[in-house]
Amino acid sequence: MVQSKQVIVVGAGLSGLCCARTLQRAGVEAHIYEASDGVGGRVRTDTWEGFLLDRGFQVLFTAYPAIREEMDLDALRLQAFTPGAIICRASEKHMLVDPRRAPAHLLAAAMSPLMSVSDKLRAFQLAMTIGKRTVPEIFTMEDQTLGAYLQKSGFSGMFLDQIVRPFFGGIFLERQLETSVRMFAFVFKMLSEGDTAVPEAGMGALGQQLADSLAPGTLHLNSPVEALLWQGERITGIRLQDGTEIIADRVVLATQADVAARLMGREFPVHWRTSTTAYFALPEPLDTGKLLVLFPEAQYINHAVMMSNVAPSYAPPGQHLLSVTLLGQTDLPDEEIVRRITTDLLLSFPEARPDTWRLLRIYRIPWAQFAQPAGIWEQLPDADTGIPGLILAGEITQSSSLHGALTAGRVAAQRAMA
Ligand SMILES: Cc1cc2nc3c(=O)[nH]c(=O)nc-3n(C[C@H](O)[C@H](O)[C@H](O)COP(=O)(O)OP(=O)(O)OC[C@H]3O[C@@H](n4cnc5c(N)ncnc54)[C@H](O)[C@@H]3O)c2cc1C
């Protein structure tokens, strides 16, 4: 069977959804073909026994320019974290907060032994320097690894090990500090200029909100695209796995990068960062407030959050939701992951009663983000593929983030209309 459309978008992640919406707002007919059974791509939330479980721990920064421009933040009813973190070193717990953003914790920040006076001064200078730069300026600053940049800036080893590695390790999913300083500066600016939050209905609400604004009939779920259709040098449509062929003026690829590369017959610089998040139902919350909890010295855990403290909607009444994340995608059996997590947690929270906890689910995420080492930016593919009729969207054309995915969708829509 052959059908005909104006623009076909492959993939209903945030990038594909944003692309289709931008096209439709400009009066262009756009259809999305998505392999899975839902929208949002990597950013989805499962409802499980009354709990909201994001597929891997993830948050949004309200300062992301593309989030501000593309999303109705009020409608998401955002639930914000307290800016900062609790750092757990075996039985010692240290509260680290940004005193400008959480003045109630000024004293704790000033007293923190994890940052020397010179680290505190340097952090303040860093915030001033990065704060003055615009996002485009950040993405053209001299590139180097985060580790090299912070060392040259004179930060102590203690600061790097106890704070930077677990905190930014949780964001970039690596603790070696190999990530580009541009990405660090971008995230640092976002953290300083807005809230870290989750929508009341879970992170999946982002994709749902975009999908709700599309014209009826735009979305074709459970429709994996198997191949692109070529006519000479030009792309003229797609073939679905069931053999259906759909002709279009333009095709936009908004899948994850390795799928797009395969469909195009090209190679992209993709090395996936992976993570594992376990969710537990607790009868009583751990005493963490709305703070991220970091474990710089733990053997397995990178970070944990009492999600229901941040967003009570994440747990049914009378119950509490704990999220624990390990870097890397562990193929260990569930029981072993739980044993390792509880061993690590008990060192810092001896009052915890894991015998009263219930494991809800473990998410092993094979492609959370693509690695963004120093120097990667010049290697990222452009939305303009050089192949007539074919445009590339997806985070791979911008940066591995919600901001990158939305921006990529918008840029691809503009190219499709050019
Ligand atoms: C655990 C985790 C934590 C994260 N944390 C953060 C965070 O805190 N902050 C942040 O900014 N970013 C975070 N990210 C990264 C962010 O989620 C991604 O950068 C962004 O969602 C990528 O969106 P995308 O639309 O480019 O790709 P995707 O979301 O991967 O969407 C691609 C879509 O294409 C579909 N598809 C694939 N193959 C086919 C095919 N053959 N035919 C049709 N459809 C196909 C897929 O099913 C999918 O729906 C995190 C990601 C994960 C997984």
Side-chain angles (χ1 to χ4, degrees), residues 11 14-15 34-35 41-43 57 59 64 225 256 368 395 401-402 405:
L14 297 187
S15 198
E34 162 59 42
R42 262 166 266 184
V43 191
F57 173 71
V59 293
Y64 274 152
V225 173
Q256 54 273 33
E395 54 165 17
S401 66
L402 304 173

